[in-house]
Amino acid sequence: MTGPARLAARQVTPDLARGLLLALIAVANAHLYLVDRSIGYRGYPSGLTGADAVVAVVQMVLVDGRVFPLFAALVGYGVARLAERAPESVVRRRGLVLIGIGALHGLLLFPGDIIGAYGLVILLMAPAVAGVTASSSRGLLAAAGAIGAFGVLLSSSASGPQGIPTVPSIAAPTLGAFLAAHPGEWFATTLFSALLTAPAVLVGVVIARSGTLDDPVAHRRRLALWAVGGLVAGVGLGLPLALAVAGVWAPTSGVGAVVAAAHAAGGYAGALGLLGVMGLLGSVSWPGRDLIAAAGTWSMTLYLSQSVVFVAVFATVAGGLGSSASLTTATLVGLATWLVGVLVAGLLARRGHRGPFELLVRRLTYPRTPTRPT
């Protein structure tokens, strides 16, 4: 079969994971909009105290560096499903479409965009996951391990306080300066993010082939193992850098490299742990589950809409709150943005409406079949 899956045919658990993930993405990105102050580790403001320090530690061990590998695993899951019903050319076209959308997002709004990076990974790995040349699951896991090890080694170089915001253009004083800085920021972010998230995309393909998320009830034991093992490893490996972000200690350059590498490695483990938790949540019924899952079918649209809200609220050329808001305030703005998005998109999706960017990707990905006259 060639063509997109109908809404009624979609699995609930992957969409639920996407819906819940949007909350974590909002939290992960919100602190990047805090500017005009001293910036410490991982783009967090330095000198955090009280509630802000607590929020930073929680985010560092559960969200920072964990969310985008998780997002990547779900992208890999989607690519595997696409490869089951479409040829390699369609998979490659999906990658090109995502690169295009990511470029528009990065150049116009938020150069920390991740969509373009996923598109690049999909484009490069299309032969390995589609068609008769598709690699075995063991081969994909081996490749993921090798790329992941290199990414962790590369992450060790970012061992000290940044000094400047992760996305400096947020503090640009004029719209012209804001836009002029985006091409370079987006290009560098896309290449680096593609390298760090490629292993998780490959693992997501393997997860899709295993059927774990398609039938979470039958795989609760596996999901529980992922949840416990992944979260314990993710928290343990991320805690040293989290305490540095909170100002509890300041590692030396040599120790800092090890701590940064451990945090990156913990990101992959933590992502698997979060996926296990989301899979377990998908195996039972609870209030709001179906609404969040419905919103998950709008994941790209909601991800892009978060950038619209954040730029409007935080950027110096717009609302300007980024120069004065605390980390706690930025986090609450992110969660509120997610909640509104879930309510609006979830209700629309349950009435059968697709997200506008999901429709755009669908129309650009699948080739149009000429209509024959009757």
Side-chain angles (χ1 to χ4, degrees):
M1 180 180 73
T2 300
R6 296 181 178 275
L7 287 175
R10 295 175 69 102
Q11 298 290 340
V12 171
T13 302
D15 284 331
L16 174 65
R18 293 184 183 99
L20 292 171
L21 178 60
L22 287 164
L24 301 180
I25 291 173
V27 170
N29 282 341
H31 81 276
L32 301 179
Y33 287 83
L34 300 180
V35 293
D36 291 337
R37 65 194 78 187
S38 176
I39 302 298
Y41 299 90
R42 302 289 296 181
Y44 282 87
S46 58
L48 297 174
T49 58
D52 284 349
V54 174
V55 169
V57 170
V58 173
Q59 288 187 15
M60 283 292 294
V61 298
L62 294 178
V63 177
D64 186 274
R66 282 88 178 119
V67 170
F68 291 109
L70 174 54
F71 198 176
L74 293 173
V75 169
Y77 173 93
V79 170
R81 290 289 172 259
L82 175 62
E84 291 174 355
R85 62 178 185 267
E88 181 184 329
S89 60
V90 173
V91 177
R92 290 199 306 270
R93 191 179 296 115
R94 172 64 62 84
L96 288 171
V97 169
L98 294 185
I99 292 173
I101 292 176
L104 289 175
H105 178 219
L107 297 179
L108 297 178
L109 281 173
F110 180 53
D113 161 80
I114 197 67
I115 294 176
Y118 294 150
L120 180 59
V121 173
I122 292 171
L123 182 64
L124 295 175
M125 76 176 200
V129 300
V132 295
T133 61
S135 301
S136 67
S137 293
R138 287 185 178 180
L140 294 179
L141 289 177
I147 299 171
F150 179 72
V152 168
L153 180 63
L154 187 63
S155 298
S156 66
S157 62
S159 58
Q162 292 182 192
I164 61 173
T166 303
V167 186
S169 57
I170 299 299
T174 65
L175 180 60
F178 177 74
L179 295 175
H182 285 176
E185 292 176 352
W186 175 78
F187 185 75
T189 298
T190 298
L191 293 181
F192 188 68
S193 297
L195 174 64
L196 292 184
T197 58
V201 175
L202 295 173
V203 171
V205 173
V206 176
I207 289 173
R209 292 176 177 177
S210 73
T212 303
L213 296 182
D214 301 324
D215 189 3
V217 175
H219 295 93
R220 281 178 179 162
R221 185 173 181 179
R222 178 184 295 172
L223 291 167
L225 181 62
W226 289 358
V228 175
L231 289 180
V232 168
V235 170
L237 290 170
L239 188 58
L241 189 56
L243 295 177
V245 169
V248 175
W249 75 308
T252 61
S253 58
V255 175
V258 175
V259 167
H263 181 76
Y268 296 124
L272 186 63
L274 290 171
L275 186 59
V277 171
M278 292 174 179
L280 291 173
L281 290 174
S283 70
V284 295
S285 180
W286 43 275
R289 187 196 75 163
D290 293 341
L291 181 65
I292 296 175
T297 65
W298 283 50
S299 58
M300 180 179 290
T301 296
L302 291 180
Y303 169 70
L304 295 172
S305 69
Q306 287 180 3
S307 293
V308 174
V309 173
F310 287 173
V311 168
V313 172
F314 295 111
T316 301
V317 296
L321 192 61
S323 62
S324 60
S326 66
L327 175 62
T328 303
T329 298
T331 300
L332 291 175
V333 169
L335 291 174
T337 303
W338 168 78
L339 181 59
V340 172
V342 164
L343 293 175
V344 173
L347 292 174
L348 288 172
R350 294 179 71 173
R351 294 178 183 176
H353 299 288
R354 287 184 180 268
F357 281 94
E358 283 70 21
L359 283 174
L360 177 63
V361 170
R362 174 183 177 181
R363 290 170 181 170
L364 294 176
T365 297
Y366 293 96
R368 295 182 179 181
T369 303
T371 302
R372 296 181 179 181
T374 303

